[in-house]
Structure formats: structure tokens, C-alpha cells
Amino acid sequence: MFDRYEAGERAVLVHINFTQEGEWEDLSEFEMLVSSAGVSALQVVTGSRQSPHPKYYVGEGKAQEIAQAVQLAGADIVIFNHALSPAQERNLEALCKCRVLDRTGLILDIFAQRARTHEGKLQVELAQLRHISTRLIRGWTHLERQKGGIGLRGPGETQLETDRRLLRVRIKTILRRLEKVAKQREQGRRARNRAEIPTVSLVGYTNAGKSTLFNRITEAGVYAADQLFATLDPTLRKIELSDVGPAILADTVGFIRHLPHDLVAAFKATLQETQEADILLHVVDASDERFRENIQAVHEVLAEIDADEIPALVVMNKIDNLDGQNPRIDRDDEGVPRTVWVSAMEGKGIELLFDALTDRLASQMVQYQMRIPPQHQGRLRSTFFQMKCIQQEEYDQEGNLLIEVRMQQADWSRLEKRDEAVLRDFIVT
């Protein structure tokens, strides 16, 4: 589709420090992103500015320096650690005589490499098409006008308009397919809700160790590596928690600072596992010097997908990289677990994590002793058995069923709505 410079695997990296706080990015994280994409960084060009330049993003002198670095190093591509406008990319490509990629395009490329499932590939393609749609004009500057005169009369549609129309058709097709996937996921969630199984969703900054922790807890064998965005496709596994029963643990895609909006929109079906969770396990790399900024970045993405109100348990991971740090649980003034310190790689503190998770979920549990007369026993006893919430039961001399039940507060509320008067009458004070 594009008449653009070919891109290779040898790159010149560009990182600019801005005095404006909102534009600030991390160079070491950028280098990890480039490495995760399988690109060889030949040179890093750095600089400082107060704000981006409208033409080249960097100043004209720095743009010339980048072009010279490309020529001397023999690079195939220039990668910016910032979001560039289509015009800035076009101007830089004309100057450097090679392909120019911004931070969003780099992340999209990594996602394209990592996607394994049909759903993941669709989501990545959707994000890429939305990103490309704003940059179409760059590839067809020689075909952007309609022709006139004898022998040059065309179909009345420029090449640019044709591509835009084809893109719109493809995006609509992908959205329809993703809608079908979303409905399938919703059916699965409804089935879990009917079975009264709580869902625990792993969230956190990319490369915080979520998949390693997931494998340690579930023995699922999910791909885990010391690289950014190793996990794209969500994985669900059942775990057993004492005093709570079965729960579903979901491993999800990692977050990153300034996560492209196209990606957030494309991965809506995947992130819904996070939106529908009963509790979030927020995994943090405790050995990262910038872990506080990473926590803030995760909170921003959670707010963007309307999941910031869900209760969360913070898991400070990778304590094996810290000196003198032992597994422990930090509790608030009311004794509720708030933070667990673990090492997923070495398996330290996993039992404490289970204890904290059980405490948090058990705090949402209710327990009642009930005396049910014979005429109501069949239906209610069957309901309690399906919910697997019966602690003990026996019959008294009058044939009443004496039963002790324990379940999630939400489940009890649903039962009360259905049999409000009956249930309250049977509770033994």
C-alpha cells in the first residue's frame, strides 16, 4: 500500500528530554522496547527541549544530526521515543532518507510479533489499521490528485480515497469479529457468575513478573520472559482458596506509560476481564527504581478502562533482587491485607499471597445459621448445594433442616432479592 522507505533491523534511536512533565519518557525503558522488538540499536541521539518542534519534533539542527548519524552508521530506520504526528514523520523521512517510526508504531510492532491467538491478532490488526489510517497521505503523494483530460479520466476516486475506503471496510469487518469474541467472553463470564466463582485479575506494568507469578500459582506454563509485552493473550485458570473455594485467575496484557489509545480501544475485549474482576492483583517490580511512577501509570490505564474502583491487593514482586527483603504481608489499621512482598521467580511468599487473597475475598463472605421448615427444604437445599456453600446440616425432632451456609456477600444479596421474605424468616439469631 505504501511507497515508503524500506525498514530494517538496524536503528538510530532518538530520545529527547522535555522540561514539560507530561512529555517525559524513560530512556532505559525505550531501549528495552527496542530490544523486545528485535532491533539492533546502532546509536542513541539525545537532546533537550522545552516543547516539541512542529516540523521535525526536534530542532532543525538536531534533525540534521540525526540524518548524519543515519548515514554514518548505515541505519535502516530511525525510532523516536515519542509520539510523532504524520507530518513530522513525513518530514523526517524526507530528511533522513530512511523509515521513521515513533513510540506508538514500535509498541504496535511488538504486539504484532507477540500475538498468538486469533483474537489477539485481530486486536493488533485493528490497532495498526487505526494508526495507519491517519498516515495514509504520506504514501500516496504522487497519486493524491484526480486526473483530467483525454486518456487520464479515472474512476473519480483518488488512490488515497480508495485506500481510506478499503481501510474502513476492513476495520468494520474486524470490529464485527471482535464483537463476536466479546459475546463469547461475556457468556463465559455469565457462566462463572452463575457458578458463583470470584475472578482475580493480574494487572501491572509490563515486565513486572505477572506471567511468572501466574505460572507459579497455577502451573499453567504460560510464556514468560524478561522482556516487555511478553504476554498479549489473556489466560484464565482455576485456583483453590481455603475458606473461599474455587476462584478464576486471569493473566492480562501489561500496561506502560502513555499506552497508545488505539491499543486501549483495540484490547477492550481482553481488558474486560479486568473490568469484571472481583479483586485485582496489582503486580509491581519492587526492584525497579521507578516503581512508584509505574504504579501511577497502571492507575491511569485502570481509570481509562473504568476499572479503578475495583478492590486491589498490591504484590511487590522480585524481592530476590533486593537486599534484606523477606516475604511479608503489610496490613492497614483494620488488619486488612494491602501489600504482599514475594518473589515469583524463587517461589518465596506465595503462601502469604494465598493467605492475603483469602483474607480479602473472605471479607466479602457472609455466614448464616438457618432453620428451614420441611415445605421449603427441597428448593433452598438444592440451591445451596449448587452454590457449594453448605458448611454443615442436620435435622431436628420436628423435621426442620438446621443448616449453616457461607457464601459471597453479593451471592447472598442476589438470593435475598429472589426470596427476601423467606430467607430472613429462616435465619437463626
Side-chain angles (χ1 to χ4, degrees):
M1 183 182 290
F2 294 107
D3 184 20
R4 293 178 61 185
Y5 293 100
E6 292 293 321
E9 306 300 322
R10 297 172 303 166
V12 167
L13 310 185
V14 180
H15 172 80
I16 305 298
N17 290 312
F18 288 96
T19 52
Q20 294 179 1
E21 195 173 330
E23 301 288 342
W24 193 81
E25 299 288 1
D26 182 18
L27 177 58
S28 60
E29 182 180 270
F30 176 46
E31 290 173 336
M32 281 191 71
L33 277 171
V34 170
S35 174
S36 296
V39 175
S40 300
L42 303 179
Q43 186 176 340
V44 180
V45 178
T46 59
S48 299
R49 281 187 69 84
Q50 284 203 329
S51 60
H53 190 279
K55 185 175 182 181
Y56 293 119
Y57 193 85
V58 295
E60 292 196 18
K62 184 62 69 175
Q64 293 289 347
E65 182 186 333
I66 294 167
Q68 191 175 6
V70 168
Q71 192 173 5
L72 291 175
D76 311 303
I77 188 169
V78 175
I79 306 178
F80 273 69
N81 190 22
H82 312 276
L84 303 178
S85 71
Q88 287 166 342
E89 276 190 28
R90 185 169 66 247
N91 295 335
L92 284 162
E93 285 190 0
L95 182 67
C96 298
K97 303 289 190 294
C98 74
R99 185 80 175 272
V100 174
L101 195 67
D102 68 352
R103 180 183 170 89
T104 301
L106 176 62
I107 293 174
L108 284 171
D109 185 78
I110 294 171
F111 272 46
Q113 293 180 43
R114 300 278 191 275
R116 295 288 178 270
T117 65
H118 175 64
E119 178 193 358
K121 289 173 182 176
L122 283 176
Q123 289 170 331
V124 171
E125 186 181 353
L126 176 61
Q128 286 179 321
L129 290 177
R130 283 175 168 163
H131 184 65
I132 288 171
S133 65
T134 62
R135 288 158 163 73
L136 273 180
I137 194 167
R138 62 185 310 120
W140 292 109
T141 50
H142 60 300
L143 294 172
E144 64 187 2
R145 295 180 180 274
Q146 293 179 348
K147 304 297 183 185
I150 294 174
L152 294 174
R153 302 184 207 280
E157 188 178 51
T158 65
Q159 182 67 56
L160 182 60
E161 288 166 343
T162 302
D163 290 336
R164 280 181 176 151
R165 178 170 50 79
L166 291 173
L167 270 181
R168 284 196 299 270
V169 170
R170 180 61 182 160
I171 285 174
K172 283 180 182 176
T173 303
I174 294 173
L175 284 172
R176 278 198 301 271
R177 291 184 183 175
L178 284 175
E179 198 175 326
K180 190 183 291 185
V181 171
K183 285 179 181 175
Q184 291 170 345
R185 285 192 174 279
E186 184 59 35
Q187 286 174 343
R189 274 191 292 272
R190 279 203 300 267
R192 294 201 299 271
N193 287 337
R194 281 197 299 272
E196 319 298 346
I197 300 177
T199 301
V200 181
S201 183
L202 286 169
V203 298
Y205 206 74
T206 181
N207 204 35
K210 293 184 299 299
S211 294
T212 305
L213 182 63
F214 185 83
N215 287 337
R216 179 67 67 178
I217 294 174
T218 64
E219 299 179 357
V222 168
Y223 177 68
D226 185 17
Q227 57 186 22
L228 303 185
F229 299 117
T231 303
L232 270 197
D233 305 305
T235 309
L236 307 180
R237 289 292 185 275
K238 191 185 228 181
I239 59 174
E240 288 289 333
L241 296 171
S242 61
D243 207 30
V244 174
I248 296 296
L249 186 65
D251 187 17
T252 58
V253 63
F255 301 150
I256 195 168
R257 253 177 299 278
H258 302 152
L259 188 68
H261 290 281
D262 289 338
L263 281 180
V264 175
F267 279 77
K268 195 173 181 182
T270 300
L271 295 172
Q272 209 154 354
E273 295 295 346
T274 300
Q275 292 171 312
E276 303 286 336
D278 293 278
I279 188 169
L280 304 178
L281 281 188
H282 182 173
V283 184
V284 179
D285 181 356
S287 62
D288 191 332
E289 294 177 355
R290 299 184 56 205
F291 74 87
R292 288 183 180 83
E293 290 95 326
N294 295 348
I295 290 173
Q296 182 59 36
V298 171
H299 286 163
E300 288 171 6
V301 178
L302 288 175
E304 197 168 341
I305 62 173
D306 298 323
D308 51 333
E309 298 297 324
I310 298 172
L313 175 64
V314 178
V315 181
M316 299 298 283
N317 190 26
K318 303 189 183 181
I319 61 170
D320 49 300
N321 295 335
L322 300 174
D323 293 331
Q325 188 64 258
N326 294 316
R328 71 174 194 271
I329 298 177
D330 294 342
R331 300 176 184 268
D332 62 14
D333 296 337
E334 297 172 359
V336 178
R338 295 297 174 193
T339 307
V340 187
W341 297 74
V342 305
S343 168
M345 182 66 71
E346 297 185 356
K348 294 178 180 176
I350 302 301
E351 290 178 4
L352 291 178
L353 176 58
F354 270 92
D355 291 343
L357 195 52
T358 300
D359 278 2
R360 290 293 297 270
L361 287 174
S363 66
Q364 304 169 24
M365 307 285 284
V366 292
Q367 189 162 338
Y368 293 109
Q369 290 180 329
M370 307 178 72
R371 181 184 286 110
I372 305 176
Q375 63 267 31
H376 294 286
Q377 289 173 12
R379 180 172 56 82
L380 283 175
R381 188 168 181 270
S382 172
T383 300
F384 291 147
F385 258 107
Q386 286 176 0
M387 296 172 66
K388 298 180 180 177
C389 66
I390 298 176
Q391 302 293 300
Q392 60 182 25
E393 59 175 341
E394 61 181 19
Y395 290 89
D396 63 13
Q397 294 177 349
E398 286 138 24
N400 296 315
L401 175 63
L402 303 177
I403 190 168
E404 187 175 331
V405 295
R406 178 180 171 80
M407 67 186 76
Q408 293 274 337
Q409 174 66 58
D411 301 335
W412 178 261
S413 299
R414 278 194 288 269
L415 276 179
E416 273 197 316
K417 285 179 184 175
R418 203 172 65 195
D419 300 299
E420 184 176 358
V422 179
L423 282 175
R424 289 185 181 175
D425 289 343
F426 297 156
I427 296 176
V428 179
T429 55

